[in-house]
Amino acid sequence: MEGTERVLGHRYRLISRLGSGATGLVWRAEDLLLRREVAVKEIVLSPGTRQEEAEVLIERTRREARAAARLHHPSVISIYDVLDEDGRPWLVMELVEARTLAEVVTTDGPLTPARTAQVGLALLGALEAAHDRGIVHRDVKPGNVLLCSPERGDGRVVLSDFGIATAEGDPALTSTGLLLGSPAYLAPERARGQVPGPASDLWSLGATMFTAVEGTLPYGGRDALETVTAVVTGAHTPFVNAGPLVRVLAGLLEKDPVLRTSAADTRALLMRVAWAPSRTVAPRPVAPAAPVPADRVPTAPGQPDATATLLRDQVSA
């Protein structure tokens, strides 16, 4: 469909593909009525997807739209419209010209502690806005963080993809064989099957910032199951580049959510680092042969992966 002339809802003309994820594609499109460019998210069902799983994915997409629409924050993508085409919902949203944090770290190397703190403050603001509305994101990770270049925009930091978010008032969705979150950024209590709360998002924020400043995962393994085991029972990768961020990262990666650093304390600690004069050496570069690992372990279409097997019958949205 590259270069397609397809028009959705007699209004949105698909132009080109921007990217793809586990469950869909994102298109650059033109709003023919308002004459502006937008992003359109299309849900793509893999061959062999069971009907019950398809229904869950479709409902999650609608919930993503509802969750994002309830938030008004500069670090959250605005949702403009939802269309039903081909029996699937299509999300029309703000077009953000940016690279993901995962792409930036992989290609340019880790961020400085100060820049990581600035990114962390923006993400924390988005999460606080969500938590105030009873929304838990559940999938904070470098692949869902957009960094706008100062040369192409205003340097904005955006948290995207509320596809597996939970919101107060929504009935639970239970599904077998779905990966709800990325293994390396899954809070320990979620891996144990406990109900996620705001503290779970803060753990994922800490893991995301760890990757940003260190250039590697805080917890890794040969496969998803080993990674989740390390998250629950293991020690994180030693700090090398974090410097003044060590205290806040260690507090966010506390395995007990009750002892985890609060949002207010996290903000105070990040503020001290974000615009303080740098006293640290340049970050250790990431070897080209060892880029930041992928956020999601690929699986055969229609088949659950190791993490899905581990979480089966434990996780409900």
Side-chain angles (χ1 to χ4, degrees), residues 5-179:
E5 290 297 318
R6 180 174 182 179
V7 177
L8 303 174
H10 305 288
R11 177 172 174 178
Y12 304 104
R13 182 176 64 86
L14 301 184
I15 298 174
S16 61
R17 184 182 300 182
L18 288 174
S20 61
T23 60
L25 303 173
V26 178
W27 296 86
R28 180 187 297 271
E30 179 188 4
D31 183 338
L32 300 175
L33 178 62
L34 298 182
R35 297 183 179 179
R36 66 178 176 182
E37 288 194 332
V38 296
V40 174
K41 183 174 181 179
E42 171 191 6
I43 302 306
V44 178
L45 303 177
S46 302
T49 301
R50 298 195 303 270
Q51 179 64 28
E52 63 180 30
E53 291 184 352
E55 292 173 355
V56 168
L57 288 172
I58 289 172
E59 177 57 24
R60 288 194 188 285
T61 303
R62 295 193 176 102
R63 290 189 179 194
E64 175 182 5
R66 290 196 296 267
R70 290 167 60 180
L71 302 177
H72 301 281
H73 191 277
S75 290
V76 176
I77 289 181
S78 298
I79 299 293
Y80 296 147
D81 201 355
V82 181
L83 305 172
D84 278 313
E85 297 265 343
D86 304 328
R88 298 168 293 154
W90 299 62
L91 303 189
V92 181
M93 62 190 109
E94 173 187 8
L95 177 63
V96 178
E97 300 282 2
R99 290 190 295 167
T100 68
L101 175 59
E103 293 170 337
V104 170
V105 173
T106 298
T107 59
D108 301 346
L111 308 184
T112 65
R115 178 55 178 157
T116 301
Q118 293 165 15
V119 171
L121 282 169
L123 297 176
L124 180 62
L127 291 174
E128 287 177 314
H131 297 162
D132 286 345
R133 301 301 298 268
I135 299 169
V136 180
H137 188 280
R138 302 204 306 168
D139 201 17
V140 180
K141 62 183 180 182
N144 284 339
V145 176
L146 303 178
L147 301 182
C148 300
S149 168
E151 292 76 22
R152 300 177 61 184
D154 56 4
R156 182 178 169 203
V157 178
V158 178
L159 177 62
S160 67
D161 201 342
F162 282 75
I164 64 170
T166 58
E168 291 179 356
D170 280 341
L173 283 176
T174 303
S175 180
T176 300
L178 288 177
L179 176 62

Side-chain angles (χ1 to χ4, degrees), residues 26 44 67 77 117 125 130 136 144 153 190 199 206 217 235 240 243 246 267 277 284-285 297-298 313:
V26 178
V44 178
I77 289 181
V136 180
N144 284 339
R190 286 199 58 211
L217 296 173
V240 176
V246 166
R267 177 172 294 281
R284 169 178 53 83
V297 178
D313 298 326

Side-chain angles (χ1 to χ4, degrees), residues 50 160 229 261 265:
R50 298 195 303 270
S160 67
T229 301
T261 304
D265 288 343

